[in-house]
Amino acid sequence: MSVTYRVESGGVLSGRIRVPGDKSISHRAIMLGSIAEGTTRVSGFLEGEDALATMNVFRALGVCIDGPEQGIVAIHGGGMRGLKAPHGVLDCGNSGTSMRLLAGLLAAQPFDCELTGDASLRRRPMKRVAEPLVLMGACIGTAAGGTPPLRIHGVPELHGIDYVMPVASAQVKSALLLAGLYARGRTCVTEPAPTRDHSERMLAAFGYPVERGGGRVCVAGGGTLRATVIEVPADISSAAFFMVGASITPGADLVLEHVGVNPTRIGVIEILRLMGADLELMHPREIGGEPVADIRVRHAPLKGIEIPRELVPLAIDEFPVLFVAAANAEGTTVLTGAEELRVKESDRIQVMADGLAALGAEAQPTPDGMRVHGGPYRGGEVGSHGDHRIAMAFAVAALRAAEPITIRDCANVATSFPGFVELARTAGLRIRAL
Ligand code: S3P
């Protein structure tokens, strides 16, 4: 089904909203709950297509899961050895997190299986997980070019490795830790820069010992997970659209409720603050091992900056909307060290540069980033290339466009942000889905 957004220019964001649950945490809750002993109860679960793809895969692996019903899920875990051989190919849809984390977990099972996905996922690099898993003794094949489908042959046992990741990737780290739960000995992963640590935190919440320090994380195989209760906070990556929207709109004053503010995810807050944004973290609290806060955002004039490279992995999903912030800032914003953006759901550097150019904004793509020059832009028609975050970023751009913006190919917004149009309208965006 094709979905087009039509967003009238203008509008002011105000009030209080709660965006849907965190995608990364929702995936992990299903995965760890499925191999835990007992029933794990989850609330705030993201009922988006990506997390539902993970849920469907675990059902195909024989796990009994109730829900989701208004964000409530009960996972009846069968323990470390409870997964069953699936009857057909396992479809991860658009979700790189499902495929990469599942590769680690399934490489350690005694049965064969095959993982595939949609056209976008079938273009994405999988060698980054397959290669280290093979070093652990796994048997995994990719298509030529290292892309899906992944064909995994069951092996009797994996062995731990000490792996230094060439790219800063939470998905690779998590895949190796999941395989490491089953491996003989210790599995250690060193990351070149800090990446999101939800797997480590959630393993600890399930009672599994995790050693961490100095950019290195280790697990020893052979333990068990105990079912737990998980309250998923609102996804900071979804909140980011509204942080930028309110920052760029005179008169805006918006509160985003119950947002996960894990230090490995708050690059967007730090970058926006460096640009001059007015973001206030209210009532900081910790829920189930994850920090949470309400975030009040008021309009503030933004200025262009050189984005510090160490913040790139901590804001990796937020650059489409940060480019929109940059287009509304005074001066030039320069992003470097972000070549990973080229292998996300779309080539986010090229697709954003093309879209900004179509609106009359000035942006030059570079191999590993972008230069965006702030200034007025018109409006017009852009393509999202089926990438949820591109579609939502351009919807937010309409707040300051001179004319309406039409965004094609927006159905995939449902992968991470079901109800985006309705919630954005509540907050003050003049958006319609056609
Ligand atoms: C994710 C990790 C990130 C991120 C993705 C979700 C995760 O990918 O872009 O949307 O849940 O672990 P990389 O780890 O490949 O950077």
Side-chain angles (χ1 to χ4, degrees):
M1 192 188 57
S2 103
V3 176
T4 297
Y5 288 167
R6 166 108 178 158
V7 196
E8 303 303 321
S9 55
V12 180
L13 300 184
S14 64
R16 299 178 73 90
I17 57 170
R18 179 169 171 162
V19 301
D22 188 277
K23 185 152 74 74
S24 293
I25 297 177
S26 296
H27 282 297
R28 286 159 174 81
I30 298 291
M31 294 183 186
L32 297 190
S34 292
I35 56 167
E37 279 164 21
T39 299
T40 291
R41 296 189 191 279
V42 185
S43 59
F45 180 78
L46 171 65
E47 296 185 35
E49 286 166 5
D50 278 13
L52 294 173
T54 290
M55 182 181 269
N56 287 337
V57 166
F58 280 89
R59 285 188 169 131
L61 293 165
V63 182
C64 179
I65 303 173
D66 305 328
E69 184 79 50
Q70 301 202 320
I72 307 279
V73 175
I75 309 149
H76 305 285
M80 295 298 284
R81 294 285 163 199
L83 302 180
K84 309 255 179 350
H87 293 301
V89 172
L90 300 168
D91 186 0
C92 298
N94 191 242
S95 174
T97 309
S98 308
M99 183 168 289
R100 296 206 179 105
L101 271 60
L102 276 161
L105 184 60
L106 293 174
Q109 306 301 319
F111 49 78
D112 296 355
C113 59
E114 182 173 334
L115 292 165
T116 190
D118 71 5
S120 149
L121 184 52
R122 281 188 272 112
R123 284 194 293 269
R124 296 181 65 187
M126 292 297 148
K127 272 206 177 130
R128 54 180 64 196
V129 281
E131 281 178 355
L133 288 169
V134 166
L135 294 177
M136 295 178 78
C139 185
I140 303 192
T142 62
T147 53
L150 292 180
R151 295 202 176 85
I152 303 177
H153 296 290
V155 289
E157 193 182 45
L158 301 180
H159 52 83
I161 55 168
D162 200 333
Y163 189 67
V164 180
M165 289 195 295
V167 279
S169 167
Q171 294 178 345
V172 175
K173 173 177 65 174
S174 301
L176 300 185
L177 294 177
L178 288 169
L181 303 180
Y182 291 84
R184 183 162 29 89
R186 270 155 55 92
T187 299
C188 296
V189 186
T190 303
E191 36 186 16
T195 66
R196 64 190 68 191
D197 65 355
H198 304 300
S199 300
E200 295 90 308
R201 287 171 186 257
M202 200 182 286
L203 279 167
F206 276 89
Y208 204 99
V210 178
E211 279 172 58
R212 302 180 63 181
R216 191 159 181 261
V217 48
C218 303
V219 292
T224 53
L225 281 75
R226 279 190 314 276
T228 186
V229 173
I230 296 171
E231 195 188 314
V232 182
D235 197 327
I236 189 168
S237 297
S238 297
F241 299 103
F242 295 97
M243 287 182 207
V244 171
S247 295
I248 64 175
T249 312
D253 185 353
L254 183 70
V255 175
L256 297 155
E257 292 175 346
H258 207 73
V259 181
V261 287
N262 178 316
T264 60
R265 294 287 298 282
I266 57 170
V268 62
I269 294 178
E270 296 189 18
I271 292 168
L272 283 173
R273 279 184 172 158
L274 289 173
M275 296 177 80
D278 178 356
L279 302 170
E280 188 187 343
L281 266 57
M282 302 186 306
H283 313 122
R285 51 211 184 259
E286 186 156 314
I287 291 172
E290 289 281 352
V292 172
D294 300 326
I295 304 177
R296 181 174 183 188
V297 194
R298 280 172 282 190
H299 168 255
L302 301 184
K303 59 179 192 307
I305 59 163
E306 277 193 26
I307 297 175
R309 284 171 90 106
E310 67 273 15
L311 292 180
V312 170
L314 310 181
I316 194 67
D317 292 336
E318 284 67 75
F319 287 106
V321 78
L322 283 169
F323 295 145
V324 171
N328 284 280
E330 193 187 325
T332 302
T333 297
V334 184
L335 172 68
T336 54
E339 48 278 278
E340 271 298 296
L341 295 181
R342 294 202 176 268
V343 291
K344 292 291 179 190
E345 287 84 327
S346 69
D347 175 345
R348 288 182 172 163
I349 293 174
Q350 195 58 50
V351 172
M352 282 304 299
D354 292 347
L356 287 169
L359 300 181
E362 235 192 290
Q364 286 113 31
T366 61
D368 68 340
M370 184 105 87
R371 293 174 71 84
V372 183
H373 311 282
Y377 49 91
R378 295 186 301 271
E381 189 165 324
V382 297
S384 81
H385 290 248
D387 184 331
H388 54 141
R389 299 203 197 280
I390 303 282
M392 291 185 276
F394 281 119
V396 164
L399 286 161
R400 296 306 304 277
E403 290 149 31
I405 298 182
T406 300
I407 311 154
R408 295 186 310 273
D409 205 7
C410 298
N412 273 345
V413 166
T415 59
S416 68
F417 202 143
F420 171 69
V421 169
E422 297 72 19
L423 196 66
R425 284 175 71 89
T426 308
L429 196 66
R430 298 174 176 163
I431 182 170
R432 275 182 304 139
L434 308 175

